Amino acid sequence: MADCWPVLVQIVMQFLWAGNFLVNKMALTQGMSTHVFVAYRAAMATIALAPLTYFERKKRPPLDWRQAFQIFMLGLIGITVAQNCYIIGLYYTTPTFSATFINLIPVIISLVSMILKMDILDLRSKSGWAKIMGILVCVAGAMTITLYKGQSLNIFNHVRAPDSIAKFFSTPHSTDPSTDPSKKNWVLGPIFNVTCVIAWSVWVIYQAWAFKDYPAHASLSAMVCLCATVQSAIVALIFDKTKGWKLGWDIHLFTYAYSGILGSAMGILVQTWCIKKKGPIFAVIFNPVSTVVVVILEPILFRVKIHVGSLIGATLVILGLYSVLWAKAKERAKMQKEMGKMDNRTAQDGRKVAVNEIEDGGNGTVLCAPKERGKMDKMGNSMAQDGRKVELNEIDERNGTLAQHGAVEGDNKDDGIMEIG
């Protein structure tokens, strides 16, 4: 049952992330400011993670200027840039489009790692070719979604949401471009989505390099979110002159809390826990689940049409993702196998050295393997017995008496009974 928990947690998390795409889009249809959203989301995540830092106070190392700068850069790349690009890309496109592009993150990470020579590409192995084919298939899928629309499908017409719910999700007087086909921008939308994916991938690689052995993950995440809150607030003040900062008991506040607490804070903790339990491949292998959920729920809630191009592109992206993940899993297993062989070889070499080496510690101690020590103990016992026989037959020089002669006399006087003092 313990092995099932990571799977269940990942599935629940994917449904929450799917809800995050839909809730964000719903808030955008209600006039939510994109830049203010990023600032409030980072602030909510900081508030949610702050209490957990108390439990890491003993193992949290003090920060120096170098680490402070790295945390600042993580907040800038992973939240301020990536989240602003994500929400603007979602503003100009659809939840299905954005959810599909998120699946490119592991692929971009592999590509950037190979460019930076952090990851080795072996074209002589099946895993190397699977990685290349997966990247190409993902790129083909992304281009298909962007450039090819195709015929619309009405597969969810019979399960569409009631009029009251549909109006709530898509307000007629909304400024959201996706509710008005004339305002959709299929040039800026994909550009912002691609920029989001690249920034997120660089953020993951940079964090793995800068804080590989950092012991306090919740504290690190809280500090990154705090820096991003300040950065995003400055960006929002510069580029957004609306009254979006005002909070009320509306869909905007719900979106800030949902995205910050469940989407960011809980997502960070769940991913960290799953990586420790099952490894990094397991943590991203469930990402397509959120895409499938969004593909099913978006036409129901928003009453939008699904096109053939979107389905074909999403399928290609998911297939390419799993091809890359399969290649990474094979390489990881091969590396672990080679490391295991090296460890066994080292252990065997060490055992041979221990058996054949005699180390003089100044007191005549012989260091050797347990099996050889047993043989040497037997040899020592045999030598001790031989020495005892010699003692019985040697001449006692102090008394000037031959032990052997005394034994003969003892035979004559005491019936052969003799005590050696």
Side-chain angles (χ1 to χ4, degrees), residues 104-172:
L104 294 174
I105 292 177
V107 180
I108 299 296
I109 290 175
S110 296
L111 185 60
V112 174
S113 299
M114 287 188 293
I115 294 174
L116 298 178
K117 295 184 178 181
M118 298 172 63
D119 193 5
I120 299 175
L121 179 63
D122 186 8
L123 295 179
R124 295 172 299 178
S125 63
K126 292 181 180 179
S127 60
W129 281 105
K131 192 183 296 184
I132 291 294
M133 293 302 298
I135 292 174
L136 293 177
V137 170
C138 281
V139 172
M143 293 179 65
T144 302
I145 295 175
T146 306
L147 302 177
Y148 176 66
K149 193 172 183 180
Q151 186 179 0
S152 62
L153 302 175
N154 300 318
I155 55 178
F156 292 110
N157 280 349
H158 60 288
V159 290
R160 285 189 172 184
D163 292 341
S164 57
I165 298 179
K167 288 180 180 179
F168 180 72
F169 276 85
S170 183
T171 309

Side-chain angles (χ1 to χ4, degrees), residues 2 4 27 39 55 85 88 130 136 144 152 187 206 222 237 248 250 258 268 307 328 334 338 343 350 367:
C4 295
F55 301 100
C85 290
I88 295 174
L136 293 177
T144 302
S152 62
V187 176
Y206 185 62
L237 290 173
D250 53 11
Y258 185 99
I268 291 171
H307 293 87
K328 296 291 290 183
K334 182 179 179 181
E338 291 177 353
D343 291 340
L367 300 179

Side-chain angles (χ1 to χ4, degrees), residues 50-278:
L52 301 178
T53 61
Y54 174 80
F55 301 100
E56 296 181 340
R57 65 190 188 280
K58 293 183 179 180
K59 62 179 181 180
R60 183 172 59 244
L63 284 178
D64 53 26
W65 286 105
R66 178 173 170 271
Q67 289 180 330
F69 174 75
Q70 290 172 339
I71 289 174
F72 176 86
M73 292 302 298
L74 286 174
L76 179 65
I77 299 171
I79 298 179
T80 304
V81 174
Q83 290 294 328
N84 272 285
C85 290
Y86 153 73
I87 197 67
I88 295 174
L90 181 62
Y91 178 82
Y92 283 121
T93 57
T94 64
T96 298
F97 189 91
S98 296
T100 302
F101 263 73
I102 294 299
N103 291 300
L104 294 174
I105 292 177
V107 180
I108 299 296
I109 290 175
S110 296
L111 185 60
V112 174
S113 299
M114 287 188 293
I115 294 174
L116 298 178
K117 295 184 178 181
M118 298 172 63
D119 193 5
I120 299 175
L121 179 63
D122 186 8
L123 295 179
R124 295 172 299 178
S125 63
K126 292 181 180 179
S127 60
W129 281 105
K131 192 183 296 184
I132 291 294
M133 293 302 298
I135 292 174
L136 293 177
V137 170
C138 281
V139 172
M143 293 179 65
T144 302
I145 295 175
T146 306
L147 302 177
Y148 176 66
K149 193 172 183 180
Q151 186 179 0
S152 62
L153 302 175
N154 300 318
I155 55 178
F156 292 110
N157 280 349
H158 60 288
V159 290
R160 285 189 172 184
D163 292 341
S164 57
I165 298 179
K167 288 180 180 179
F168 180 72
F169 276 85
S170 183
T171 309
H173 59 271
S174 169
T175 59
D176 176 44
S178 66
T179 60
D180 184 357
S182 64
K183 293 182 180 180
K184 284 184 180 180
N185 195 323
W186 290 100
V187 176
L188 285 178
I191 289 175
F192 278 106
N193 275 289
V194 170
T195 306
C196 165
V197 169
I198 294 174
W200 226 327
S201 303
V202 172
W203 175 74
V204 171
I205 295 173
Y206 185 62
Q207 181 175 350
W209 171 77
F211 294 95
K212 181 179 181 180
D213 299 321
Y214 196 79
H217 296 285
S219 299
L220 176 62
S221 301
M223 289 185 287
V224 170
C225 290
L226 179 60
C227 287
T229 301
V230 178
Q231 297 165 358
S232 302
I234 295 173
V235 172
L237 290 173
I238 294 173
F239 293 100
D240 199 330
K241 305 298 182 181
T242 64
K243 297 180 180 179
W245 290 100
K246 186 178 179 180
L247 293 176
W249 295 102
D250 53 11
I251 187 60
H252 295 178
L253 180 60
F254 175 77
T255 303
Y256 302 150
Y258 185 99
S259 299
I261 297 173
L262 297 180
S264 295
M266 187 175 176
I268 291 171
L269 297 176
V270 167
Q271 291 297 85
T272 303
W273 180 72
C274 286
I275 288 173
K276 287 184 178 179
K277 289 287 185 179
K278 295 290 187 177

